[in-house]
Amino acid sequence: MYVADSRASTTAPATSAEGAARPRAGRRRAAVAPTVLALGTVSLITDVSSEMVTAVLPLYLVAGLGLSPLGFGLLDGVYNGFSALVRLVGGHLADRGGGRHKWVAGFGYGLSAACKPLLLLAHTLTPIGLILAADRTGKGLRTAPRDALISLSSTPETRGRAFGVHRAMDTAGALLGPLAAFLILRATVDGYDAVFTVSFCVAVVGVLVLVLFVPGTSVKKANASASVQKANASPSVQKAADRPTLRAALALLRRRDLRRIAVCALLLGLATVSDSFVYLLLQRRLGVPDRWFALLPLGTAAAFLLLAVPLGRLADRLGRWRVFLAGHGALLLAYGLLLSSWHGTALPYAVLVLHGCFYAATDGVLMAAASDSVPEELRSSGLALVQTGQALARFVCSLGFGAAWTLWGDRSALTLAAAALAGCAAVSFLLRPAPIAKAPA
Amino acid sequence: MTRRNRVLVLVAAVLVLAVVAVASVLHASARADRRNQAQPGGPRITAGTVALTGGGRMVFRNMAWGPHRDELTTVPASDPAGARTASKVKCLRFYAASGTGVCLQAVHGAMQDTYRAVILDARLKERAHYDVPGIPSRARVSPSGRFAAWTAFVGGDSYAGTNFSTRAAIVDTRTGKLTPSLEAYRIVKDGRTYRAADTNFWGVTFAADDRTFYATLATKGSTYLVRGDLRSRTVTTLHANVECPSLSPDGTRVAYKKRAKGLPKDAPWRLYVLDLRTLRETPLAERRSVDDQAVWRDDHTLVYALPGDYGADLYEVPADGTGTARRISTAAVSPVFLH
């Protein structure tokens, strides 16, 4: 089995509260926890709703309202950084008072749902920008509590699979959303109002599934685990365990394992070229026809969808860090293919599969790995810290990559990114939380 | 609450929401049927022949509800509100000169819409077509009819993002040679070669020499008027804060939309005319925010679209800053004046 970190290894294997609640014997083949399936369903439904809107928004602005979406791009930058901060707030709020994850996440989902009918009323750029900013605030608030709930409701040895199942369901929703929007636009003429109304109805169903079928985290359970963890926690974290505060959340970074995970995520994030650049490079280097351009993200998403569960299971067996680093290896391979002189027709497919593989091996797996190093009562804050660090690092990478592209051209910029990724992966390999995986039982 | 009750609540809620959702789709599709009926009081439209030769006519995309919605339509230039003749050719955007037209169309696919630019001859027959990578917005043909250009908004550059970029393409209709993006051209800014990953071009307008063109270049949050050279494949910045330029028939001035200070973010533009020799700007009498690439009816008058009851209406305003704007046609967009 996979022994998560030094904390678990100093005590008997799997003595955390979750482990005790769900004995691992005979559980390896068991399905994921009902809570994970419920949360996956919520994410699937919510993503159908939000991607419906995303898919038709450019068309709505240009063809429906006669606006030019360029002005909209200006507003977009303003709330990009904002959502990273909101994520920390959501993580912290969920931990306060001993596990209000469900209600903070529910508020986030509810806020996004409420934004959909407002789109019917907005006809100019500023209100549309504000509504989408509120929508993103909801997304920022709900992400960390939701991931904390997934990790809290699964055993340490099946966490990778649990996150894999969740991410697969989430991505399925993201793929179905544009299809639903397109079918509605086909059935109507200029039926943007119908798209927004249906999107709202779907979002409400998502909130209802959360409220009705996702159990709230019980304070009792969090306290029980706190007592287990006090034995090994540093004094500052021990104090934090009694009442989660903002300082306690920041004190998490004093935990060696979490710090290492955060640093690795940050380093690798600094060398992760944003999706849009990957698609642009794919188009430029390989001459992907213009009409296929909009379909490139779908290729990544499809590979993510298919590989999320198998790679999550693999992470449970082989060790999360191995799979996490191997995922970056897949990304490195994708960069290598983009740089190579091979121009076969299979190349775009290979790059997109590797790109989806990268997401499948890293997105949920990182959360599973981070969960092992954060005490339950600070789970949400800890996951938010790692996510925000990673997001900010990727943002810095985008700026740097854009500058390198400007100065030296796309090929040199990608070579630089590949070298940086290889270097960061090597450092991450040395920094990885010890001890790493043992062979599966 | 027991599990059974929770399931019952969910089922009941899903039923109610499904009714709302289906009703909204039915309402929108019923509205579609109404839009296919000509409205009383709307412009008189008959099917007929539309040609891109012969002067004194205006050709545009008809936006009036009814069987000829979105079709290329013509009226006498002297009576733009008069009876319309529709052609059966549907375009989102259109432009023409010297018997050559460019029509930006949506192609409805099984999974999603794609877009293409169709080069039309004087009788609106297709000569060639090219893929357009996103939602098309601007279209122009050079005065001789040899070159055509279009701009598309490209989403999909960022997954689930709301950021947009533009691609401006130019094609030589004689040789079929396509430049899919002006980003391939060398940019000269302040006398030096300028490189940036975030450059966007839009709103090409051609001079009569079949070599010079003007366009908007955006980079680092600013927009510039650039003069392009089709032979040396360069663009040179001329003036800041210029979008969607439109060159006058005599080639001396550019009409454009300018982001004016103190205006709301959602309606930031005013129409101006720039004298290319003196670089002097003249604000026009139109006081509303115009988000269109204006068209020169002649050397003294500009025509442009503003949102209206049926999508868009056409207005005209003197090019020298005097007079007032006045509506010349309803339910119309993308006009071109045949000379």
Side-chain angles (χ1 to χ4, degrees), chain A residues 290-312:
Chain A
D290 273 343
R291 70 184 130 171
W292 297 116
F293 188 76
L295 297 178
L296 295 180
L298 296 186
T300 299
F304 185 8
L305 168 67
L306 293 175
L307 292 170
V309 177
L311 288 180

Side-chain angles (χ1 to χ4, degrees), chain A residues 120-140:
Chain A
L120 291 169
L121 307 173
H123 295 287
T124 50
L125 274 182
T126 307
I128 290 172
L130 289 174
I131 291 163
L132 292 176
D135 188 296
R136 283 191 180 197
T137 304
K139 187 176 171 61

Side-chain angles (χ1 to χ4, degrees), chain A residues 274-293:
Chain A
S274 86
D275 296 0
S276 48
F277 282 125
V278 171
Y279 303 134
L280 272 178
L281 283 163
L282 200 54
Q283 198 195 22
R284 288 193 177 203
R285 300 232 69 88
L286 306 171
V288 174
D290 273 343
R291 70 184 130 171
W292 297 116
F293 188 76

